[in-house]
Amino acid sequence: MTATEERLIDPVLERVKTGIEAFDDLVMGGLPRRRTTVVGGTPGSGKTVFATQFLAHGITDLDEPGVFVTFEESPADIEVNMASFGWDIRGWREANKLAFVDASPRDTDQMVVGDFDLAGLLARILYAAKNAKAKRIVLDSITQLFDHFVTDEKAVRRELLRIATALKKEGLTVLMTAERNSEYGEISRHRIEEFVADNVVILRNALDRERRRRTIEVLKMRGSRHVEGEVPITLVSEHGMVAVPLSSLRLEQQSSSKR
Amino acid sequence: MTATEERLIDPVLERVKTGIEAFDDLVMGGLPRRRTTVVGGTPGSGKTVFATQFLAHGITDLDEPGVFVTFEESPADIEVNMASFGWDIRGWREANKLAFVDASPRDTDQMVVGDFDLAGLLARILYAAKNAKAKRIVLDSITQLFDHFVTDEKAVRRELLRIATALKKEGLTVLMTAERNSEYGEISRHRIEEFVADNVVILRNALDRERRRRTIEVLKMRGSRHVEGEVPITLVSEHGMVAVPLSSLRLEQQSSSKR
Amino acid sequence: MTATEERLIDPVLERVKTGIEAFDDLVMGGLPRRRTTVVGGTPGSGKTVFATQFLAHGITDLDEPGVFVTFEESPADIEVNMASFGWDIRGWREANKLAFVDASPRDTDQMVVGDFDLAGLLARILYAAKNAKAKRIVLDSITQLFDHFVTDEKAVRRELLRIATALKKEGLTVLMTAERNSEYGEISRHRIEEFVADNVVILRNALDRERRRRTIEVLKMRGSRHVEGEVPITLVSEHGMVAVPLSSLRLEQQSSSKR
Amino acid sequence: MTATEERLIDPVLERVKTGIEAFDDLVMGGLPRRRTTVVGGTPGSGKTVFATQFLAHGITDLDEPGVFVTFEESPADIEVNMASFGWDIRGWREANKLAFVDASPRDTDQMVVGDFDLAGLLARILYAAKNAKAKRIVLDSITQLFDHFVTDEKAVRRELLRIATALKKEGLTVLMTAERNSEYGEISRHRIEEFVADNVVILRNALDRERRRRTIEVLKMRGSRHVEGEVPITLVSEHGMVAVPLSSLRLEQQSSSKR
Amino acid sequence: MTATEERLIDPVLERVKTGIEAFDDLVMGGLPRRRTTVVGGTPGSGKTVFATQFLAHGITDLDEPGVFVTFEESPADIEVNMASFGWDIRGWREANKLAFVDASPRDTDQMVVGDFDLAGLLARILYAAKNAKAKRIVLDSITQLFDHFVTDEKAVRRELLRIATALKKEGLTVLMTAERNSEYGEISRHRIEEFVADNVVILRNALDRERRRRTIEVLKMRGSRHVEGEVPITLVSEHGMVAVPLSSLRLEQQSSSKR
Amino acid sequence: MTATEERLIDPVLERVKTGIEAFDDLVMGGLPRRRTTVVGGTPGSGKTVFATQFLAHGITDLDEPGVFVTFEESPADIEVNMASFGWDIRGWREANKLAFVDASPRDTDQMVVGDFDLAGLLARILYAAKNAKAKRIVLDSITQLFDHFVTDEKAVRRELLRIATALKKEGLTVLMTAERNSEYGEISRHRIEEFVADNVVILRNALDRERRRRTIEVLKMRGSRHVEGEVPITLVSEHGMVAVPLSSLRLEQQSSSKR
Ligand SMILES: Nc1ncnc2c1ncn2[C@@H]1O[C@H](COP(=O)(O)OP(=O)(O)OP(=O)(O)O)[C@@H](O)[C@H]1O
Ligand SMILES: Nc1ncnc2c1ncn2[C@@H]1O[C@H](COP(=O)(O)OP(=O)(O)OP(=O)(O)O)[C@@H](O)[C@H]1O
Ligand SMILES: Nc1ncnc2c1ncn2[C@@H]1O[C@H](COP(=O)(O)OP(=O)(O)OP(=O)(O)O)[C@@H](O)[C@H]1O
Ligand SMILES: Nc1ncnc2c1ncn2[C@@H]1O[C@H](COP(=O)(O)OP(=O)(O)OP(=O)(O)O)[C@@H](O)[C@H]1O
Ligand SMILES: Nc1ncnc2c1ncn2[C@@H]1O[C@H](COP(=O)(O)OP(=O)(O)OP(=O)(O)O)[C@@H](O)[C@H]1O
Ligand SMILES: Nc1ncnc2c1ncn2[C@@H]1O[C@H](COP(=O)(O)OP(=O)(O)OP(=O)(O)O)[C@@H](O)[C@H]1O
Ligand SMILES: [Mg+2]
Ligand SMILES: [Mg+2]
Ligand SMILES: [Mg+2]
Ligand SMILES: [Mg+2]
Ligand SMILES: [Mg+2]
Ligand SMILES: [Mg+2]
């Protein structure tokens, strides 16, 4: 164990509130600080909403600046999309509370693919984080990151680990989104993300007899207790993601077990 | 964020009516302007009908010219096929309200495959759009686009993004159709389209005890509320696609929950 | 749009009767003229019977000569097999009403594979069609065509389109059979045929508690209404394929809904 | 159509009795002469028993000599195995009524793989057939043939056709066995055999709540009516394969529909 | 047929008792002498127990020495593992009744892979068999054999046959174990073993509502009747594998059919 | 059999207590000494908890030092994560009772992949074990090991065996964790681990109507009886993994069978 690592050890897992209140209750107060959480889900399941809300709460309530690394959606689009939840992304950006790193291949006319780029990208991200004195960082989504940057499928696991390690070393709490191809199928797209991450949260938007049902589940949280199983959620204008509080869930269970 | 992007930001998502009335109600008035919507479905599920109706409504009711990029069906065939729905495609073409870009490999005797062609194609499309002062554009289907033009499976995601970005920059509202191999299976053919697009609509034509049942579903719409779950549709001569209005759906649910 | 294409436009889809009466009722009078129909099915589902009956009806009742392109079964075998349905293939051949193109690799001692052959084959087919003044053409089956001739899996879609286009240009109504590996599984073997064709008909021969059940279904018909869902069929000596007429189907439904 | 082919045409499909009586009733008297039948099944489903019984009946009752081409089991092993059914293979061999072609790779120390060998093998088979004045020929199994001889997976279809054509030209009635990996799964191993053959018979040995149930089914028979669906069979010492006669099947159905 | 083969013919299949009494009843007295039996199963299903018991019975009760070819477990480990069943492997080894051939890649520092090694291995095996005057031989497991030795997936079938033939020529009764990935799934790992072998026995250890259920089934036995379907088994200390005797199975069925 | 191997033979399988009491009862007292146990499970199923508890019990109660080889999680992270179970990893490390081998690719800037590294890694592990006089060793997880180190998929089986053999030779009891992609699916990721290991334990965390259910199962244990089927477990702060004792399971069964 190196001296740097030694210094990082901290017997109690400090918590970072996400701002999704009923959710923070599921994870004993928030996501563990300086750890990596993967939020997986199908298209439109709410990954970007979750990630933005995590940054928003840090900026508006706790004075923790953030970095948003986007791999396909332009920062401008995210700004508009998140406006419907009442988040003033432009304001935060101007107040230097939020920095975007646009890692999409959109603007570049040519594209050099390979690990070299990934190193360059990591440098840009670290620079932005330092500049903004960021404490929270979002990578939306790592699936895109790997589809765009990593040529060798076998390198995905190693690169994912390398990035997570570098960001944690800077004291950042990392939230990565990951694409899943089906609601209850196996693991996420590259089938590795959920093993490598410290924590895994799954957003579902399942079709059940012509209706959709949205839920959130904490699949794993290394070093910590957490509520297990699926909890219903809603997306609400001017609020963002809202989970059903545990108390109502338990009431529901009591009444249903009474029958 | 570049100056160009800055200029594009528009806090309210302006809506583009599709002309499929009950459908526009599902999406708070229409598809978001200057965004990309993917309409996915199996063979014969109604993708081309949906796309043409979207252009037709713009041309006949809102004076918004359109471009129809076709990758296999000839413009002539589309003209005939859509006549049964009462759409005078030839008239619009002659009035310079609708421009076709025929990107099918049919007529060309030889075929140069690769990204170079794709750039050429994009130039042709942009030229047609400018010429027609188009506001709406249809690409039917992007699956064919990728099967014909993109040799490297890994490049699909990047190219899809590049095209969408270029078209949105021109102020166009983009509708792309995508082929799905099964009704309730995973994602569309290249398994990427539904993540990359801003909005995803799914057309289904499911076999249920020897009968077919047609439905439409808004799977995702970034930055906007929308009705969730499947809604029955019909294809009607002289009208096109018709969705069951929400009010009747709710009545149906009330009465069924009374039982 | 080129001048040639312009000339081909015909606002009303003219119909070509198949001779399978109850079936023609399912498709508003017949298959659209100068279009491509794919008939898919498992081994023994009746693809060759359907295709031959289509040619037979043209020859005997409507004076429309035909071309039968066969890729594995020898013309002699087809002649014998179809005799049990009362079709005098030899007579038609001698009266120059039916021409066979034998594209099977049987007789050739060596085999040059590649697109060059495909071009040669197309030339032979067009020559036979012109010679016989054919109006209808059958390719039985395109799956064999691609297994034998196309080395590059990626070229299947393009070649399929090229052939269909060339034949339609000659005014021919095209019927292609396609092999399916399972009754209710996904799409046909190369997973592309059913998207590329103008019309898709599926023949099923499903095993249901030790019995077989034969049905026909019109999956898609571009530019036209058609009856949807599965309709029972039988194969009858001296008659060929016979579908259950719509009227009896409806009676059956009424009585069953009365219960 | 060449002159040779012309000569082969025979408007009525002559029948070759298999000797499995209740089975011959299923196929209007027997397998069509000078045609190819594929008998598919899982390990131990009875493929070799069916094939040997087909040869046995020709030899003992109809004076039709046969050829048995074996690709893995040694002729000696087959002789012993079939003795339990009362078939005197050694006697037939000595009376020159049955010829074995041992095409197994067992004895050869080295192995030259490729189409060249296949041509050599075909020559050996034809020679044996001519020598024995054979009318019936068994290839057990073609799956092994392809696993051993054909290096290029794409060539399987072509080679299968070439062999069948060559044997039919000699006036032989061909029976090929094929390996299936599951009882009710898709098609046989190379997924092509059942499309290429003129006739397909399936032997099943399905596990149903810890018991095995053996059945036979005629899946397809080009140019002929046949009973459809599964029929129970048994393997009986000193008799071979015995199918349940149709009459008892119908009685059973009547009585069961009375309930 | 060569002279050697002629000599091997033996109209009655002589039996080799396995020592698993209730099992020998399932197969008319034992496994056929000088034949190949494949015993397939998932991890821990009892393949090695079955194989050792087969050798043990030969050694202790019938004075038939044996050879145990092991591909991963060391002979020492097998000795310890089988001690719990009361088998004195060390004693047999010392009395020269049992010879081990250790074909695991464990001890070798480098590894030459290819058919050459396989020939060398076969020589070692034959030498050991001759030395011990062995009548029975176990290869545990052939899946490992192929994973370790055969580089070309296409060669598996040929090599398997070559080994079986060589061993049978020496008069040995061959028992090979094979790895299966699921209880009721298709065939064993290389999907070929169960077609090539003369006899196939399947060991299952299925999870049924949180409990495990062990069964044995004789799937095929060329040239012989045998009981069909699954029979429950147990593994008993100091005894080995014990199958439920047929008589109790029948009683159970009678009583259950009485209800 | 070499002299070294001879020496290793030990007719009775000595047991190594895991410290998970109710679990040790399932396996007749503990895991067999000097053997390899694979613990498989999905993300967050408790593999690392099981492995650490195994080392903890050895260190605190039995004076058996241990080695923890980690392939992705840093030793520092594991220290923090396991603190919530009351394990003082830092203390043990300082008392030289526990040695970490950090085999993660995190810190290394470049990465030489291949068997050479694996040999180097094995040397480091053996050195650490000797230094700490370790009796127990954990490799968490071998899936990562193979994803990072082994380039040739075919070599996985051989390398796994080589490592296990080397560690057992040093008298170590080996516990390896393995990643599984689904709860009740086939085998673990590389589909080989569960055949190669001496013992297999499966941890499940299955989703059952929105709730999670954790269980443990001993799938196989060579040379030993063990309880079969799934047993419920819980993860408890300050305790670690706790299995439901057998006695309560039996009571539950009795009471449920009374109904
Ligand atoms: N104001 C709103 N009110 C309610 N729901 C909304 C609102 N805005 C967006 N949504 C819902 O949120 C969904 C988009 O969520 P989000 O962008 O977080 O999904 P995602 O998982 O990131 O998807 P992708 O994989 O496409 O990036 C929309 O499809 C819509 O259903
Ligand atoms: N006039 C009409 N009235 C009713 N239904 C019609 C009419 N015309 C076409 N249809 C239906 O519309 C279907 C074709 O729809 P469309 O061409 O939009 O499908 P698609 O999803 O684009 O299919 P593909 O993948 O083959 O391009 C036909 O199969 C038919 O069922
Ligand atoms: N005279 C007849 N009466 C009734 N059924 C018949 C008659 N002749 C043939 N059949 C049925 O038709 C089937 C063959 O149909 P056909 O050759 O059209 O099938 P296919 O789909 O072309 O099969 P393949 O893929 O093998 O070419 C036979 O298997 C048989 O069941
Ligand atoms: N005398 C007999 N009485 C009853 N059944 C028998 C007798 N002899 C063999 N059998 C059954 O026949 C089966 C073997 O049949 P056969 O060899 O024809 O199968 P197969 O389909 O050719 O298998 P493979 O794919 O292994 O070659 C045996 O497994 C056994 O169940
Ligand atoms: N003395 C015993 N009493 C009861 N059961 C035992 C005894 N010894 C071993 N077993 C059972 O036998 C199993 C091992 O059987 P065996 O080694 O034959 O399996 P296998 O199919 O060869 O597995 P693998 O694929 O791992 O080699 C153990 O998992 C255990 O369940
Ligand atoms: N103090 C605690 N009390 C209860 N449960 C806990 C506690 N700490 C951790 N857990 C549970 O243990 C899980 C982590 O277990 P562990 O790290 O052993 O899983 P794993 O199988 O090794 O996963 P991975 O594949 O990600 O390494 C957490 O997801 C959490 O559910
Ligand atoms: Mg998103
Ligand atoms: Mg279309
Ligand atoms: Mg046919
Ligand atoms: Mg056989
Ligand atoms: Mg074993
Ligand atoms: Mg872990």
Side-chain angles (χ1 to χ4, degrees), chain D residues 102-112 117 124 149, chain E residues 158 162 169:
Chain D
D102 186 345
S104 72
R106 260 173 309 122
D107 299 317
T108 44
D109 268 359
Q110 73 266 52
M111 187 77 202
V112 196
D117 299 275
R124 278 170 66 199
F149 282 84
Chain E
R158 209 169 53 237
R162 207 200 293 269
K169 259 195 192 143

Side-chain angles (χ1 to χ4, degrees), chain A residues 181-211:
Chain A
N181 284 336
S182 69
E183 299 305 344
Y184 292 98
E186 306 230 320
I187 303 266
S188 46
R189 181 97 132 261
H190 289 283
R191 300 179 147 225
I192 286 172
E193 298 90 321
E194 301 183 9
F195 285 105
V196 177
D198 293 313
N199 313 307
V200 175
V201 172
I202 300 175
L203 295 170
R204 291 197 179 83
N205 186 22
L207 192 61
D208 180 13
R209 261 170 283 142
E210 302 177 26
R211 304 286 161 82

Side-chain angles (χ1 to χ4, degrees), chain C residues 108-214:
Chain C
T108 43
D109 268 359
Q110 72 267 50
M111 187 76 203
V112 196
V113 180
D115 298 63
F116 183 76
D117 300 275
L118 209 51
L121 173 65
L122 193 49
R124 277 171 67 199
I125 294 175
L126 289 173
Y127 177 82
K130 216 160 254 174
N131 231 30
K133 299 199 178 65
K135 295 265 175 271
R136 301 172 180 215
I137 185 160
V138 158
L139 289 88
D140 185 22
S141 68
I142 44 166
T143 313
Q144 297 166 32
L145 168 67
F146 292 124
D147 283 8
H148 290 318
F149 283 84
V150 184
T151 42
D152 171 17
E153 183 71 15
K154 297 208 103 191
V156 168
R157 180 162 210 148
R158 209 168 52 237
E159 294 307 332
L160 179 53
L161 193 63
R162 208 200 292 270
I163 295 168
T165 308
L167 296 176
K168 282 156 78 173
K169 259 195 192 142
E170 298 302 316
L172 289 162
T173 302
V174 187
L175 195 153
M176 294 167 161
T177 64
E179 298 176 4
R180 291 172 65 102
N181 284 337
S182 70
E183 299 305 344
Y184 291 98
E186 307 229 322
I187 304 266
S188 45
R189 182 98 131 259
H190 289 283
R191 300 179 148 224
I192 286 171
E193 300 89 322
E194 300 183 10
F195 284 105
V196 176
D198 293 313
N199 314 307
V200 175
V201 172
I202 300 175
L203 295 170
R204 290 196 181 86
N205 185 24
L207 192 60
D208 181 14
R209 260 169 285 142
E210 301 178 25
R211 304 285 161 82
R212 289 278 168 186
R213 221 179 92 256
R214 289 184 186 272

